[in-house]
Amino acid sequence: MKTNYLIICLAAICFVAFGSQPIVGGYTRLTPKQVYKNDAAKGALKFGFDKIIAKLIDECKIPKHDYEIEKILYAARQVVAGTNYKFKVLIENDYIEIIAEYVVFRDLKGKYSLASSEHEIKKVDKKDKKHKKDDKKHKKDKKDKKDKKDKEDKKDKKDDC
């Protein structure tokens, strides 16, 4: 009975001590803040971004506009004989949205290379969306004014009766 209790206690201690640790050789999540604070991670992010955009302009014939990383959706680091950085980012401009996933390897000398990449392109026109949003707001404002006037008219009729 005491042996079972001892085994359970040791298992619990091991779980608490080692359960929250990253898996040896596995990826460790990074927050966007950690990526931007770490020069190596930031360098990997930019290197992969530049390679992806160049590839998309060349192979997919996307227009040569200003693109920027709008949001880091996922970031992780894996220490090997060097470091792998895995990113999933939202890249945007006024016309195109791109979800890109890529792995950048940084060797022990600090040289970057693109290990793998995938992307999904969605054409959007944010300028059109902005105009449509403004039109909807304008129509809503007109409707609100009309509703307010109708309420006032009904109130006036009630007062007259």
Side-chain angles (χ1 to χ4, degrees):
M1 186 75 153
K2 287 183 180 183
T3 307
N4 288 342
Y5 180 73
L6 183 60
I7 291 172
I8 292 171
C9 287
L10 285 173
I13 290 169
C14 288
F15 178 76
V16 170
F18 302 111
S20 62
Q21 298 296 319
I23 298 170
V24 175
Y27 277 94
T28 303
R29 284 285 304 253
L30 298 172
T31 65
K33 196 174 193 176
Q34 289 171 319
V35 171
Y36 288 117
K37 281 187 173 184
N38 181 303
D39 288 339
K42 190 168 42 173
L45 178 71
K46 183 174 179 357
F47 178 86
F49 168 77
D50 291 343
K51 291 289 184 185
I52 294 275
I53 293 301
K55 179 180 176 182
L56 292 175
I57 289 171
D58 185 44
E59 294 176 11
C60 300
K61 307 299 183 207
I62 65 170
K64 294 180 183 179
H65 292 289
D66 293 330
Y67 294 94
E68 60 184 58
I69 295 175
E70 187 68 28
K71 187 175 185 180
I72 297 174
L73 304 172
Y74 175 83
R77 175 181 65 198
Q78 178 187 35
V79 177
V80 290
T83 307
N84 284 322
Y85 291 96
K86 184 187 284 190
F87 298 103
K88 182 175 183 179
V89 296
L90 173 63
I91 301 169
E92 288 186 331
N93 70 11
D94 287 338
Y95 307 98
I96 293 178
E97 247 181 34
I98 302 163
I99 301 287
E101 293 184 58
Y102 55 93
V103 177
V104 174
F105 174 71
R106 182 176 187 258
D107 68 17
L108 296 172
K109 294 180 181 179
K111 184 179 175 191
Y112 295 102
S113 60
L114 188 63
S116 67
S117 67
E118 293 180 20
H119 62 274
E120 177 185 332
I121 300 173
K122 181 180 174 186
K123 292 185 179 182
V124 294
D125 193 344
K126 287 188 178 177
K127 290 179 181 175
D128 262 1
K129 281 184 179 179
K130 186 179 187 304
H131 291 303
K132 287 178 184 175
K133 216 182 246 185
D134 291 343
D135 289 345
K136 283 181 183 177
K137 187 176 188 261
H138 180 69
K139 286 178 183 177
K140 186 178 183 292
D141 289 345
K142 280 177 87 175
K143 186 178 183 287
D144 289 345
K145 285 179 184 176
K146 185 178 182 246
D147 290 346
K148 187 176 179 182
K149 187 175 184 229
D150 289 346
K151 282 181 184 177
E152 287 174 359
D153 288 346
K154 284 180 183 178
K155 187 179 177 186
D156 290 341
K157 286 181 183 177
K158 282 183 182 177
D159 291 344
D160 290 342
C161 296

